[in-house]
Amino acid sequence: MAASVTRDEVRTVLAALLTVLIVAVIVGLIGLARSVRVVQQFEKGIIFRWGRIVSEPRGPGLTLIRPIGDRMQKVNMQIIAMSVPAQDGITRDNVTVRVDAVVYFRVVDPIKAVVNVQNYLFAVSQQAQTSLRSIIGRSEMDQLLTDRAAVNAELREAIDEPTEGPWGIRVERVEIKDVSLPESMKRSMSRQAEAERERRARIITADGEYQASKRLAAAANVMARDPAALQLRLLQTVVEVAAEKNSTLVMPVPVELLRFFDKVALPSQPGAEPSLQDTGDAEVAAAEAAIGAGRSPELAESSRHADPAIAVAPEPEIPAVPEVPAVPEVPAVPGLDGPRAQGHGAEGSAPRGT
C-alpha cells in the first residue's frame, strides 16, 4: 500500500514539474520575442520605457529591450517623395493658375519627429500646400513659367523653415511639376508668340532688302564707270536664259555696244584710257560707306580717284551782252499836221469874234 502511494506522489510531482517547465519555456520564448528587435540599415530605433525616452536612438542591427515596460518605435531615415496636390491661386498680376509640385524631405532628428509632431507626414503635406498657395500669390505668371529655379528655391525655404528646427525634418528639394493656365490665357500667349515671330521675320526681310540695295547700288556704281561690265553682265544673263529649253530669245543690239566698238575703232591716245582697276570687295565696301554716309557713290569715287581721262570738262564762259543805245526822237513833218492845226486855230478863235 505504501509503495503504491509513493508512486502516485512521484507521478504527481513529475507532472507538476513538467507543467512548470513547459510554462517557463513558453514565458521565456514570449519574453525573448518581446526583447529582441531588429533595426534596418535605413532606420533608427527609439526606446520608450514606461512612456519615456531613456537613451539615444538605436542604430541598425539586433537590439535587446526589456520585455515589460519597454517599447521601440522605428523611424525611417530615407528621403521621402511626397506629391503636393494641385493648388488653385491668383498670381500677383491677377492670373488664375493651377500649380502642383513634389517635395523631397527626410528625417534628420528622429526624436523630434516622433515627440514634437503627431504625424510628420501629414504635417509636411499640409505645410507644403499652404506654402505653395503663398508662393503663387507672391509670384507673377511669367516667373512661374520661365524662372522655375527661383520659385523652387523660394518654395523650399518656405517649407523648410518651420519643419527642420521644431520637427527635425529637412526639405531637400522642391520641384513644380505643372502650371495649368486658363484657355483664354493660352490663346493670348499663342497670339503674342505668333506676333513676335512675325515681327522677327519682317525685320530679317527688311534687313536683307537693305543689304541687297546697298550691294546693288555699289554694283551700279562699278558698272557705271565701265560700260563693258554692263555688256558682260547682259551676255551672262543671255547665257542663263538660253540654257532653258523651248525658249526663244530676242536680243536687241544696245547703243552702248556700238559705242564700245566706236571706242575700240578710234586710235587710242596715251594717258586717255581709264585705268582698269580691280572692282572687288574694297570698292564695294567704299561704295557702301559712301551710301551709308548719305553721299553719292559717283561723287565719292570721283573725289577718291581723280582720273584726268574721265574728268568733266569745265563749262565755257558766256560773254557779256553789250548795252543797246537809246532810240532818238523822230521830228514832226510840217505839211502833215498843218490843216489839223488850222482847224484847231479857227475853232479856238471863233468865240473871240462874237
Side-chain angles (χ1 to χ4, degrees):
M1 185 71 181
S4 61
V5 173
T6 304
R7 290 178 181 177
D8 292 338
E9 290 179 357
V10 171
R11 291 177 181 175
T12 304
V13 173
L14 291 176
L17 292 175
L18 183 60
T19 303
V20 172
L21 182 60
I22 293 174
V23 172
V25 170
I26 294 174
V27 172
L29 293 175
I30 294 174
L32 183 62
R34 291 178 59 88
S35 299
V36 177
R37 293 289 186 272
V38 178
V39 181
Q40 301 294 332
Q41 182 68 35
F42 53 85
E43 294 177 340
K44 292 289 186 180
I46 301 176
I47 306 299
F48 290 91
R49 181 168 296 168
W50 307 110
R52 184 177 182 180
I53 298 176
V54 295
S55 62
E56 293 295 328
R58 302 290 178 87
L62 187 64
T63 302
L64 296 177
I65 62 175
R66 294 181 181 181
I68 300 176
D70 286 356
R71 180 177 62 87
M72 176 181 284
Q73 183 172 351
K74 300 177 183 179
V75 180
N76 193 341
M77 305 296 292
Q78 291 177 318
I79 294 179
I80 301 173
M82 176 181 293
S83 179
V84 181
Q87 303 296 315
D88 294 328
I90 299 177
T91 60
R92 190 168 59 182
D93 50 355
N94 299 325
V95 178
T96 304
V97 295
R98 185 179 180 87
V99 183
D100 57 349
V102 57
V103 181
Y104 300 90
F105 66 93
R106 65 185 180 91
V107 177
V108 294
D109 193 342
I111 296 178
K112 290 182 179 180
V114 172
V115 175
N116 294 347
V117 61
Q118 182 179 7
N119 186 354
Y120 65 88
L121 295 176
F122 179 75
V124 171
S125 176
Q126 295 301 313
Q127 178 64 27
Q129 295 180 31
T130 55
S131 300
L132 181 58
R133 285 194 293 268
S134 177
I135 293 299
I136 292 174
R138 295 201 302 262
S139 303
E140 295 183 356
M141 183 193 66
D142 294 339
Q143 186 179 5
L144 292 175
L145 296 176
T146 58
D147 197 4
R148 292 284 186 90
V151 177
N152 293 336
E154 188 176 359
L155 183 58
R156 177 188 172 279
E157 292 178 0
I159 300 175
D160 186 66
E161 183 179 358
T163 57
E164 184 172 2
W167 299 348
I169 297 172
R170 179 178 300 168
V171 179
E172 298 290 343
R173 190 174 181 181
V174 179
E175 293 289 342
I176 293 178
K177 293 194 297 184
D178 187 23
V179 178
S180 300
L181 301 176
E183 293 297 330
S184 58
M185 183 58 63
K186 291 181 180 179
R187 289 192 295 268
S188 300
M189 293 177 65
S190 63
R191 289 195 299 268
Q192 179 183 1
E194 185 178 356
E196 179 67 19
R197 294 293 181 182
E198 185 68 21
R199 182 184 68 86
R200 293 181 183 178
R202 291 184 178 181
I203 290 176
I204 293 174
T205 303
D207 191 13
E209 293 292 338
Y210 173 70
Q211 295 180 6
S213 64
K214 291 175 64 178
R215 289 290 181 177
L216 289 176
N221 181 29
V222 174
M223 290 183 179
R225 291 182 300 164
D226 193 356
L230 184 60
Q231 302 303 322
L232 293 177
R233 180 59 183 169
L234 176 61
L235 294 177
Q236 184 180 359
T237 305
V238 170
V239 172
E240 293 178 357
V241 173
E244 299 292 336
K245 298 181 178 179
N246 300 327
S247 60
T248 303
L249 179 63
V250 177
M251 184 181 69
V253 178
V255 180
E256 289 79 1
L257 185 59
L258 299 178
R259 293 178 181 175
F260 174 73
F261 286 116
D262 292 341
K263 291 182 180 180
V264 174
L266 292 176
S268 60
Q269 300 178 1
E273 295 182 358
S275 59
L276 299 179
Q277 300 179 356
D278 183 15
T279 58
D281 294 338
E283 292 191 1
V284 173
E288 290 182 357
I291 295 172
R295 299 183 301 168
S296 174
E298 291 80 6
L299 295 178
E301 290 295 332
S302 63
S303 62
R304 190 178 297 105
H305 304 286
D307 195 348
I310 59 175
V312 181
E315 296 182 358
E317 296 183 359
I318 301 175
V321 179
E323 296 183 359
V324 180
V327 179
E329 297 182 357
V330 180
V333 181
L336 183 61
D337 295 335
R340 185 180 301 175
Q342 292 178 2
H344 287 293
E347 293 175 358
S349 57
R352 285 193 199 102
T354 60

